[in-house]
Every structure is written in structure tokens, then in C-alpha cells.
Amino acid sequence: MTVRTTMTAVTAVVLSAALAGPAAAASPGPGDGHEATRRALEAAVADGVPGATAAVKDGRRGWTATAGVGDLETGKPRSPHDRYRVASITKTFVATVMLQLEAEGRLSLDDTVEKWLPGVVRGNGHDGSRITLRRLLNHTSGIYDYLADPAFQQMYMAAEGFFEHRFDQKEPEHFIAIAMTHEPYFAPGTSWRYSNTNYTLAGRVIEKATGNSYADEIRHRVIAPLHLTATSVPGTRVTLPRPSSRAYAKLARTATGPTYDVTELNPRLAFGSGDMISSSADLNRFYTALLRGRLLPPEQLKAMKTTVPARGTNRYGLGLVERKLSCGVEVWGHDGGIHGSNTDAVTTADGRHALAFNFNGDWSGDSDAVIEAEFCGNDR
């Protein structure tokens, strides 16, 4: 959608059609008003994505579809109920909790990072006393993204490094410290650049403000009230809950090469920037509730939707992306990419029409085409 940067190898390659598996399966079937969306999912599989799963909520109507396979060895198809890693979509959950804390008077978005995490953002030009919590959430802090560090990429994104280090036990401070070894991208508030370090810090601020883990705060403030039964903050759990599919990656910047099963990894490495697991139905429920004001008071929801220019024509709020489609429809949401998993979730501003989908391969497939198809291409 816009900023798919959480721990995913940036690759572009097409798998053999023989690996594509069965054709798309959907409910209730042809003529249901989602033909364009179904074709876009099938096209992603034809382009090399092992499998896709999607869910739509449009008013009172629901629709699900799957394409391709969830397991390249067995040929097992993907399920509409699959749990998968949602990566940077975690950021919307984190921002929601921080805005709830502001509404309760427990912190202010104008507080500095230094106030809550003294001495943590310091070095090579970084200065936490000049960076507000708001600038963390809308990526105008200028803080270096630890995922861009060459040594980090070699250790966690390249094949040899990934299989040696995917179960590493590292605390968030380890990755924040990596960011501090580099100069900031720009002076705070003067530009925009996506940085996962921002939300690693935000997770720690939530913990400092509440005395609880950021995971527990998300559970009792968002997951439990909305009954998101497929959504979790896994901590150090390396496996996916069932039902789920396998996750695949190339682990290289190449158009060729082997396909690796990367399903198991320690998500703690992503922390507040992208460690959560969910399903398409749960993501639709979350974003619908958020945009309808069920999770935030009007003042905080307005702040979340106050945007700055981001990548391309998109705009970034507080953990929330604003996007105008080719047909003039405006959608809000986020995307996320992590090893073997690319996810998008978008919802209209009134919360009426929501789409969430996942590819279980991280190197191909046109997610933009799926979004355009659902909101602009279907004849309903």
C-alpha cells in the first residue's frame, strides 16, 4: 500500500505457475459483486505469490476469497480463517493505545521522548529532547530506521544470517542502539521518513506510562473489547497459531533463486513496530471500529487522521495511512511486510467498506491492484 518496510527482503521474482496451486475459491461465488477482486487475487498467484486470503466487509455483507496454496509441499489451500503475521499494521494498534493514554491524561503527544525514555535517543545527532511522541507516531522524528542498517540486513534478511539468527533473543534497546550509531535522516519535524525505530520507542513509552507490557495494553484495550479472537501479540512465540499457512521468502535481492520456508521466527525482533498476528476478518473489525470512533474519543481520532505528506500521493497520520484511489474513493489503513508475509488492510472513512488480505510470499504480487479492484473495479 505505501510503506511495507518491516523486516521484509525487497525482492521481485515470479514463481513457476506450477507452484501457484488451485485457482481462487470464494464465497458465495461468481456474480457476487467481487469479480474484479477475485481476479486480482488470482493475478497475484499467477505472478508468483504462493497463496492469498482476503475478507471484505461492506455494510452488512461479508465476502471471503482464497487463491493459491498455503503449503507448497502438500498443496494445501489457504483458508479464509488463516492467522498470519501483520507486521507494520501493528503500528496502528500501538498508536491507538498511545492516543487512549492521552485521552486519559496519562501522557501528551507533545511530551518529548526524553521525558519518558531519558538518555535513550542520543548520539550522532539524535536528541530525544527535540522529538515529541507525535513525531514518533507520524514518522517526522528523523530517527534512523534500524532495519536500514547494513549489518542488521545481513544478519536478519539475508538467507545465511536469517537461519542463524531468526530465533535470537534481543531486547528492543538493542535495535534502538543500532539506530543511534547512525546520523538522523533530518532535523525533527522538518520532513517525513518511515522508521521502525519510532514504534519500537513508542512501545517502550506505553510501558513506561502504564507499568505494563505494551502487549498487555493492546490486549485489554483493543483485542478483548473488540473480541478479536484471531489477533495476538506473540512475544517470543516463534510459531503461528492455527489455522495458518506456511510463509515463504527469497531472502535475497534477486529475481531468481530458491524459495525458503520462513514461517518460524522470533517476532520479538520487531516489537512495537511489527510483531502482531491477526486474520483478515479481525483486521476489518479493528479498522471499522477505529474509524467509527469506538476506540478513540473524537479529539484523538481527529489527531490520528491529521496527516503529513508521505510516499507518493499517500499521507501519513498517527499510525494510519490516508490514500485516495484512482476512482476518487478515500481509504484509511496500513500495510505490513515481514519475512514471508505481506498484508494490507484498508477501510473507508465511514467504516462501512473494509478490505484486508494477505500474501504468504514477500517478493511478488500487486497489492495495489487488489485494493483498486475492490473499491474501484467491481460492478455492484
Side-chain angles (χ1 to χ4, degrees), residues 120-134:
V120 173
V121 178
R122 189 174 297 170
N124 289 301
H126 288 96
D127 183 355
S129 68
R130 299 179 58 204
I131 299 169
T132 63
L133 303 184
R134 190 187 314 273

Side-chain angles (χ1 to χ4, degrees), residues 215-256:
D216 283 344
E217 291 296 317
I218 287 178
R219 289 185 192 107
H220 85 254
R221 290 174 175 273
V222 181
I223 294 175
L226 295 182
H227 305 289
L228 304 180
T229 57
T231 302
S232 61
V233 188
T236 58
R237 175 179 173 173
V238 302
T239 58
L240 289 171
R242 295 179 180 178
S244 58
S245 294
R246 308 304 294 177
Y248 298 98
K250 291 295 180 179
L251 298 177
R253 298 174 183 268
T254 177
T256 59

Side-chain angles (χ1 to χ4, degrees), residues 29-158:
D32 55 22
H34 296 273
E35 291 84 359
T37 308
R38 182 186 293 104
R39 289 194 299 269
L41 294 171
E42 292 172 339
V45 172
D47 188 44
V49 172
T53 183
V56 170
K57 186 69 174 177
D58 192 356
R60 294 184 176 181
R61 296 179 300 174
W63 178 85
T64 62
T66 63
V69 299
D71 190 316
L72 289 174
E73 289 189 4
T74 67
K76 179 182 177 181
R78 294 214 65 177
S79 166
H81 307 295
D82 269 354
R83 277 75 164 156
Y84 47 78
R85 303 189 193 280
V86 301
S88 283
I89 287 174
T90 302
K91 292 178 173 67
T92 313
F93 286 82
V94 169
T96 298
V97 169
M98 190 169 284
L99 285 161
Q100 289 178 346
L101 293 173
E102 184 192 51
E104 296 165 8
R106 301 173 71 173
L107 56 74
S108 168
L109 294 186
D110 295 321
D111 290 343
T112 65
V113 177
E114 182 69 15
K115 174 180 177 178
W116 288 101
L117 303 173
V120 173
V121 178
R122 189 174 297 170
N124 289 301
H126 288 96
D127 183 355
S129 68
R130 299 179 58 204
I131 299 169
T132 63
L133 303 184
R134 190 187 314 273
R135 287 173 176 168
L136 292 182
L137 298 184
N138 67 9
H139 295 296
T140 60
S141 70
I143 295 174
Y144 184 86
D145 186 355
Y146 68 86
L147 264 70
D149 177 76
F152 178 94
Q153 292 184 354
Q154 187 65 32
M155 185 173 293
Y156 294 106
M157 294 182 177

Side-chain angles (χ1 to χ4, degrees), residues 167-169 171 233-239 265-268 275:
F167 302 131
D168 279 5
Q169 299 287 341
E171 288 302 301
V233 188
T236 58
R237 175 179 173 173
V238 302
T239 58
L265 55 84
N266 182 2
R268 177 78 172 178
D275 66 349

Side-chain angles (χ1 to χ4, degrees), residues 248-286:
Y248 298 98
K250 291 295 180 179
L251 298 177
R253 298 174 183 268
T254 177
T256 59
T259 300
Y260 298 101
D261 186 322
V262 294
T263 309
E264 296 182 355
L265 55 84
N266 182 2
R268 177 78 172 178
L269 300 177
F271 193 60
S273 71
D275 66 349
M276 289 182 67
I277 293 168
S278 192
S279 70
S280 299
D282 269 15
L283 291 177
N284 285 341
R285 187 178 304 168
F286 167 63

